[in-house]
Amino acid sequence: TAVVGGNCVRANHLVHPRVGGSHRHGDREYPNTNSLWRRRECAAMALCHNPDSSAIPNLIEALEDQDRMVATLSGRVLVEIGNDAVPDLINILETGTPSARIEAARALSDIRDPRAIPVFMTALDSDSELVKFWAEQGLQNLGSEMVYFKPG
């Protein structure tokens, strides 16, 4: 939970937000989806400034969000949370959707936890150039003078 502009924002707003209000067009009433997106982005930004490990499950789920801003901000929060987020990020890098794998690789690269080395090695063979890039960055961040190789 974080406070933004006097309003309480919870991590569950990232994945289970409540839509505020609606608008009319002719005879039909539509939910304010822009309000929905703003609330979710606001929740992610608030958590960037107040990282909380209890938000990890919601943040991991938000890495797969169609709103790339929410996904990117969620990745940044996971970086701020740090080592507690590493096991979940490794799981997403191994099994997530293509876009979530990119965000997980980027976050793991910035966290610089040695537990990510094996998954970075595997990610070097990814079909995604961005996953490969972040895996290479992650390995460099963990030891620019070290040489990593795959046994076998």
Side-chain angles (χ1 to χ4, degrees):
T1 302
V3 177
V4 177
N7 295 317
C8 181
V9 180
R10 290 180 168 59
N12 65 351
H13 287 155
L14 291 170
V15 291
H16 301 294
R18 294 185 200 132
V19 178
S22 61
H23 66 277
R24 295 190 73 70
H25 188 279
D27 293 336
R28 301 183 96 177
E29 189 164 332
Y30 298 93
N32 284 340
T33 54
N34 284 341
S35 173
L36 170 73
W37 290 329
R38 284 190 200 120
R39 177 174 288 179
R40 294 166 68 225
E41 289 174 4
C42 181
M45 284 190 279
L47 287 166
C48 281
H49 297 289
N50 300 292
D52 181 354
S53 294
S54 69
I56 291 173
N58 295 87
L59 293 164
I60 290 294
E61 188 174 341
L63 291 178
E64 300 194 18
D65 201 284
Q66 291 179 349
D67 182 341
R68 299 314 310 149
M69 177 64 80
V70 169
T72 299
L73 289 170
S74 296
R76 288 184 187 168
V77 177
L78 290 162
V79 170
E80 293 299 318
I81 290 170
N83 294 338
D84 288 347
V86 168
D88 292 304
L89 286 166
I90 287 173
N91 184 50
I92 288 293
L93 184 51
E94 292 175 330
T95 64
T97 63
S99 57
R101 292 180 68 232
I102 293 166
E103 296 302 332
R106 181 188 330 225
L108 286 167
S109 173
D110 288 343
I111 292 172
R112 302 178 184 206
D113 188 304
R115 292 178 288 176
I117 293 171
V119 76
F120 282 153
M121 296 301 290
T122 302
L124 292 174
D125 292 329
S126 173
D127 292 337
S128 168
E129 292 301 318
L130 286 172
V131 169
K132 285 182 196 177
F133 172 80
W134 288 112
E136 289 171 4
Q137 286 296 118
L139 291 171
Q140 285 180 358
N141 289 345
L142 284 164
S144 60
E145 300 299 321
M146 298 178 75
V147 175
Y148 298 99
F149 62 94
K150 291 182 185 178

